[in-house]
Amino acid sequence: MPGSGRKISTGALGLAFIPPELRENSGEIEAAEKGRLPHLIGYGDLKGDLHVHTRWSDGAHTIREMAEAAREQKYEYIAICDHSAGLAIAHGMTDDKIHKQAKEVAELNLEMDGITILHGIEANIDRDGNLDVRKDVLAGLDFVVAGVHSGFRQPEKKMTERLLTAIHHDHLDMVSHPPTGRLLQRREPYQFNMDSIFEAAAAAHVLMEINAFPPTRLDLSDIHSRRARTYGVVMGIGTDAPPTKPNISNILIWASRWPAGDGWRREMCSIPGRLRGGLGRGWNGESSLKSVG
């Protein structure tokens, strides 16, 4: 049935129009009857990207190029979160490289108008839940992301303890590609107690990332995001900056279309108030919470 016909048919039934993204037999009909369908996030609702990589680690572009691409998409900010040194295959950031990168970010922020560049990092969560970057170094960053990049086969109890330890780290702002570490058609999700993780993240004010790197991650999933919301978890979008996209002018929108516009991803991000950027110490060293929606 054509789209306009669908609108007519739902109207004839006394229902508000139910967008295709919500048609999963998961309460949307009841919500339409009560006029309580959620608002779907559109491209214009995205105000920044909380997780991108550059040539400083495994990215393909400079910080300036990434910032210019973000500015073209009308973003207000972009968080440079190159891999830490523990991920050797990604040519990760040593302490010295982090300090040098901080200088470049500061200079670009003074030079560039219309975009704020946040200096961050994607640290590794080791097998015991520790981050592989010293606390004094993390304290000097604007935004700290950390994720599990190895040891995916730990028992469920151990993996849960590992993630809980990381979430309670003093400087962690967001858990990357959480909480399952899946790669579609390549790697199964790792196992842990999801309810314990969501409860802890909400209490610690740590974001769970909606990782938009297509087509392999898309994690958190729609189901897990709904579940996280019941605990009051705040979610942030990161494209995980595709490292090999040839057209730099489209590099961010290429990935951001997945969380903002692709079917069930739009449903997952359906509540603007739950979509946040800049949670934690903030851009000026003070506590802040910048709404994306």
Side-chain angles (χ1 to χ4, degrees), residues 131-235:
L131 305 193
D132 66 341
V133 181
R134 297 200 327 262
K135 286 188 176 183
D136 62 306
V137 176
L138 294 177
L141 299 174
D142 297 313
F143 197 72
V144 176
V145 179
V148 172
H149 295 96
S150 62
F152 301 106
R153 297 182 181 180
Q154 285 183 317
E156 178 178 329
K157 181 179 179 181
K158 178 62 177 175
M159 182 63 80
T160 301
E161 293 173 350
R162 176 183 183 179
L163 291 170
L164 288 174
T165 298
I167 286 171
H168 288 106
H169 191 285
D170 293 340
H171 300 295
L172 181 63
D173 293 308
M174 184 171 76
V175 178
S176 58
H177 36 75
T180 69
R182 72 177 183 179
L183 291 175
L184 298 176
Q185 299 184 339
R186 289 173 51 191
R187 184 172 69 212
E188 292 298 315
Y190 49 76
Q191 302 301 310
F192 62 97
N193 187 312
M194 191 170 297
D195 295 295
S196 296
I197 297 306
F198 288 157
E199 183 177 13
H205 305 294
V206 170
L207 281 77
M208 294 282 108
E209 183 188 38
I210 299 169
N211 188 291
F213 191 95
T216 56
R217 289 205 183 274
L218 302 182
D219 196 13
L220 290 170
S221 70
D222 56 335
I223 296 173
H224 293 154
S225 294
R226 281 188 170 187
R227 192 165 172 178
R229 287 213 307 259
T230 66
Y231 286 90
V233 173
V234 176
M235 292 176 284

Side-chain angles (χ1 to χ4, degrees), residues 95-136:
D95 291 352
D96 183 58
K97 288 177 68 176
I98 292 172
H99 291 309
K100 290 179 179 178
Q101 188 182 61
K103 182 178 179 181
E104 179 179 347
V105 169
E107 291 173 350
L108 287 172
N109 273 322
L110 289 174
E111 177 185 339
M112 298 182 67
D113 295 325
I115 186 73
T116 296
I117 307 171
L118 305 180
H119 187 210
I121 198 163
E122 184 180 14
N124 298 303
I125 300 174
D126 71 16
R127 292 174 180 268
D128 295 317
N130 302 307
L131 305 193
D132 66 341
V133 181
R134 297 200 327 262
K135 286 188 176 183
D136 62 306

